Amino acid sequence: MLQAYASMFNLRPILFFDEIQNIEGWENFARRLANQKYNVYITGSNAKMLSREIATTLGGRYWNADVYPYSFFEYLKAKNITLATNWMYGKQSAEVSKLFNDYFSFGGFPELVDIIAKRAWLNDIYSKIFFSDLIVRNKIRNEEAMGLLVKRLAEGVKQPVSHTRLANLISTAGIKISKATIIDFIKYLKESCLLFPLENYAAKFAERNSNMKYYFIDNGLLHIFLTDANTSLLENIVAIQLYKKYGNEVYFYNQNIEVDFIIPEQKTAYQVSYSLMDENTYQRETEALIKLNTVFPMEQMYIITKDEERTIAHEKGINIEVIPVWKWLLNETIIK
């Protein structure tokens, strides 16, 4: 390849390789190019590219960058929307609101921006991930069990679940599967960049990997499995934004109280609730944050809603910010 290039051009090339991990020994080839001082860009849709063996081969010769579907801010840019000052008080508000509803339901894949039949396109992209990145790449024979596992994880996206529980759920559908196979399947799902896990901060260290929450990397992919989807999509979109910003520093908290997200290093906690209009919901969400604060003092506490906004000043001197998800997403992007 390099000889062919040199026969036509005198300039030193910049090299781009996509999905090169499908070629055995590619990491040795990449190291050889790096040793020869070439600029090399390698892209792929599978986390196996970041395995320990590859890192050992490439040594300190590479930088890693994770690329996610569009954030809401990027989605607006792709739609040629430039937010004016105080845009939420003018005509632009209605347009942004409509675009957010599309983004909320169908996610942020760049190709999807100008596609009308969004759900059909998402079904196609999921099929590609499922068969190419999961079944074929990992030589999975029990295709039905893997499909059912993805569906069960989508339906229970807001709840922690153990490997044993997942194995039992799938077995009740008449498909026998072991806990060990569930563990392998989830590893493949993470490697295919379809979902990501969060640990329970309150759990003992040895137990954190056995009862986790699983979120989908894009709302559109989650939505194709759900009918009454609003509350699940809201929590999932918050999880995506926090994971993009804080990575493995994000946890949930579940021990006597339940808090959706906690970032201990930032002393920040989040609850997610579609609406606080119901008094019972209001009490449940606020009391969980207040009780958490007695265990781990927080500097910032939020309740992310679909549309509601206010500040809750609790009698104990604690302020909880209630903020609509679209506004929070834009603020988080700008801060980042």
Side-chain angles (χ1 to χ4, degrees), residues 325-336:
V325 62
W326 53 265
K327 186 174 184 178
W328 177 76
L329 288 172
L330 292 174
N331 288 344
E332 285 290 303
T333 304
I334 293 168
I335 290 170
K336 184 179 179 184

Side-chain angles (χ1 to χ4, degrees), residues 89-100:
Y89 305 112
K91 294 180 180 179
Q92 208 171 32
S93 175
E95 185 177 21
V96 171
S97 177
K98 179 182 181 303
L99 289 175
F100 177 72

Side-chain angles (χ1 to χ4, degrees), residues 120-146:
W121 187 90
L122 285 165
N123 277 303
D124 287 344
I125 199 68
Y126 170 71
S127 294
K128 184 268 177 189
I129 294 170
F130 184 82
F131 290 109
S132 299
D133 294 345
L134 288 172
I135 303 302
V136 175
R137 181 170 288 167
N138 297 295
K139 299 180 174 62
I140 294 173
R141 295 187 215 174
N142 199 342
E143 177 184 317
E144 189 176 1
M146 174 60 90

Side-chain angles (χ1 to χ4, degrees), residues 4-54:
Y5 180 89
S7 70
M8 295 184 289
F9 306 102
N10 293 324
L11 298 174
R12 191 171 180 81
I14 298 174
L15 302 168
F16 295 85
F17 299 102
D18 185 43
E19 302 290 359
I20 197 175
Q21 78 275 2
N22 293 321
I23 306 299
E24 186 176 351
W26 69 268
E27 60 272 23
N28 296 307
F29 170 63
R31 174 172 176 154
R32 189 162 67 250
L33 291 173
N35 288 342
Q36 296 170 21
K37 308 300 182 185
Y38 285 101
N39 278 336
V40 184
Y41 292 84
I42 298 171
T43 56
S45 58
N46 193 286
K48 280 186 177 179
M49 295 182 70
L50 306 178
S51 68
R52 182 178 302 174
E53 294 78 10
I54 292 169

Side-chain angles (χ1 to χ4, degrees), residues 119-255:
R119 182 173 286 274
W121 187 90
L122 285 165
N123 277 303
D124 287 344
I125 199 68
Y126 170 71
S127 294
K128 184 268 177 189
I129 294 170
F130 184 82
F131 290 109
S132 299
D133 294 345
L134 288 172
I135 303 302
V136 175
R137 181 170 288 167
N138 297 295
K139 299 180 174 62
I140 294 173
R141 295 187 215 174
N142 199 342
E143 177 184 317
E144 189 176 1
M146 174 60 90
L148 193 55
L149 173 62
V150 176
K151 190 171 187 298
R152 289 286 183 261
L153 289 171
E155 291 171 346
V157 75
K158 296 179 295 181
Q159 302 298 326
V161 64
S162 68
H163 300 133
T164 301
R165 170 72 173 155
L166 287 169
N168 290 338
L169 285 171
I170 293 173
S171 296
T172 57
I175 304 171
K176 293 298 180 184
I177 188 169
S178 68
K179 175 183 172 181
T181 302
I182 289 290
I183 292 172
D184 285 340
F185 279 10
I186 287 178
K187 182 182 75 169
Y188 301 150
L189 288 166
K190 291 188 290 184
E191 288 176 346
S192 70
C193 302
L194 185 65
L195 54 76
F196 59 93
L198 294 185
E199 298 176 351
N200 181 8
Y201 190 72
K204 295 179 181 178
F205 184 79
E207 299 173 354
R208 286 187 176 179
N209 287 328
S210 62
N211 201 39
M212 307 176 79
K213 279 186 176 183
Y214 298 94
Y215 294 95
F216 282 64
I217 203 66
D218 183 81
N219 262 26
L221 291 173
L222 173 61
H223 198 186
I224 62 178
F225 295 99
L226 305 176
T227 49
D228 185 15
N230 284 338
T231 56
S232 294
L233 291 176
L234 181 61
E235 185 165 325
N236 196 76
I237 207 170
V238 173
I240 293 168
Q241 182 63 34
L242 291 175
Y243 188 74
K244 285 168 65 175
K245 188 170 183 179
Y246 299 108
N248 292 328
E249 294 179 21
V250 184
Y251 300 85
F252 68 95
Y253 189 94
N254 192 333
Q255 189 176 63

